[in-house]
């Protein structure tokens, strides 16, 4: 498949480290605590605007703190939090790249999974021009979500080195695939690999010679 192409079908399951498993009861406890804070006057979590996402029966709350977006999806009739997504900043990236890239992290209760909720939230971020970098590890559900979004948005692989993103073949070879520095990238509205390169936000792969130079440095 050409680099940064939109895939017409899911890629084979031999990808990044898909080993994150969070117990459902842990997620439920986390969501219950956040729901209380969402309705506690004076709590920072309660200082939210409402996002007009088309999710019937659900209210989507949004707040920004330290440059990170927090999205809380509330089941109003059920009086509970369905889940949340945080678009986190990446300390691994330099300041220029950090202005355009975020690492999404989500937790949704089992009863609200596979209902397109996280997809709608991620699409909101991509539509406003954010680009996403995957975490060092993913859950099965998160990986499936990225693959689905990759059928509508440019999806590629990059390596984080010296706080910069280095373009990789899609998909990388097995050795790079297992490295914690290898990540998937989703490009938001208005972005392409060519534009990232032109702005100095995406660089060539390091390669064997570059690796030797980095070690010497």
């Amino acid at each position: 498949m050409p680099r940064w192409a939109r895939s017409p079908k899911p890629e084979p399951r031999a990808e990044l480290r898909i080993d994150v498993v969070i117990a459902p009861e842990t997620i439920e406890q986390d969501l219950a605590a956040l729901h209380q804070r969402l309705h506690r006057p004076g709590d920072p979590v309660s200082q939210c605007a409402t996002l007009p996402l088309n999710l019937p029966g659900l209210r989507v709350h949004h707040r920004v703190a330290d440059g990170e977006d927090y999205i809380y999806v509330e089941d109003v009739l059920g009086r509970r939090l369905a889940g949340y997504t945080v678009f986190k900043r990446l300390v691994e990236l330099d300041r220029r790249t950090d202005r355009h890239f975020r690492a999404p992290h989500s937790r949704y209760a089992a009863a609200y999974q596979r209902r397109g909720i996280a997809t709608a939230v991620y699409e909101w971020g991509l539509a406003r021009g954010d680009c996403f970098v995957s975490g060092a590890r993913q859950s099965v559900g998160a990986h499936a979500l990225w693959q689905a979004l990759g059928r509508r948005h440019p999806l590629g692989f990059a390596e984080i080195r010296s706080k910069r993103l280095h373009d990789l073949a899609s998909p990388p070879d097995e050795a790079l695939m297992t490295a914690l520095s290898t990540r998937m990238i989703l490009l938001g509205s208005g972005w392409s690999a060519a534009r990232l390169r032109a702005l100095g936000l995406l660089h060539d792969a390091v390669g064997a010679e570059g690796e030797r130079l980095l070690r010497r440095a």
Side-chain angles (χ1 to χ4, degrees), residues 42-56:
D43 193 296
V45 175
S46 70
Q47 309 303 308
C48 291
T50 301
L51 286 183
L53 298 188
N54 185 24
L55 294 170

Side-chain angles (χ1 to χ4, degrees), residues 4 18 29 69 100 114 128 138 162-163 185 188 211:
W4 301 98
I18 308 171
Q29 291 170 3
D69 290 271
H100 305 287
R114 299 180 181 87
R128 71 174 189 167
Q138 289 186 312
S162 302
K163 290 187 173 289
I185 295 180
E211 177 70 24

Side-chain angles (χ1 to χ4, degrees), residues 101-155:
F101 282 86
R102 289 293 180 266
H105 292 274
S106 299
R107 286 190 178 184
Y108 287 86
Y112 299 91
Q113 295 176 11
R114 299 180 181 87
R115 289 174 49 177
I117 300 172
T119 298
V121 173
Y122 281 47
E123 288 281 14
W124 170 82
L126 292 165
R128 71 174 189 167
D130 288 345
C131 296
F132 295 159
V133 178
S134 68
R137 290 182 163 85
Q138 289 186 312
S139 67
V140 171
H143 185 77
L145 173 59
W146 275 70
Q147 292 299 315
L149 291 168
R151 293 194 287 272
R152 298 186 293 276
H153 303 274
L155 173 68

Side-chain angles (χ1 to χ4, degrees), residues 9-77:
K9 58 183 178 180
E11 291 294 318
R13 279 291 306 278
E15 293 101 352
L16 300 171
R17 301 144 305 279
I18 308 171
D19 55 9
V20 175
V21 179
I22 303 174
E25 56 269 25
T26 299
I27 295 177
E28 293 285 358
Q29 291 170 3
D30 187 17
L31 296 179
L34 273 175
H35 188 249
Q36 289 183 349
R37 295 185 62 190
L38 188 64
H39 294 282
R40 183 185 301 155
D43 193 296
V45 175
S46 70
Q47 309 303 308
C48 291
T50 301
L51 286 183
L53 298 188
N54 185 24
L55 294 170
L58 302 174
R59 181 178 296 153
V60 183
H61 305 268
H62 172 225
R63 74 182 182 100
V64 179
D66 298 324
E68 298 180 332
D69 290 271
Y70 294 77
I71 312 296
Y72 308 102
V73 182
E74 181 184 17
D75 181 342
V76 180
L77 292 178

Side-chain angles (χ1 to χ4, degrees), residues 122-210:
Y122 281 47
E123 288 281 14
W124 170 82
L126 292 165
R128 71 174 189 167
D130 288 345
C131 296
F132 295 159
V133 178
S134 68
R137 290 182 163 85
Q138 289 186 312
S139 67
V140 171
H143 185 77
L145 173 59
W146 275 70
Q147 292 299 315
L149 291 168
R151 293 194 287 272
R152 298 186 293 276
H153 303 274
L155 173 68
F157 290 83
E159 185 177 24
I160 299 178
R161 281 189 177 274
S162 302
K163 290 187 173 289
R164 292 183 173 185
L165 291 170
H166 296 269
D167 197 8
L168 296 175
S170 184
D173 60 35
E174 185 176 352
L176 277 173
M177 191 67 81
T178 59
L180 293 177
S181 58
T182 298
R183 311 294 176 87
M184 287 190 293
I185 295 180
L186 272 169
L187 303 189
S189 178
W191 289 98
S192 66
R195 185 185 177 199
L196 289 174
R197 285 179 171 276
L199 294 175
L201 302 175
L202 184 66
H203 307 269
D204 290 334
V206 174
E209 180 60 27

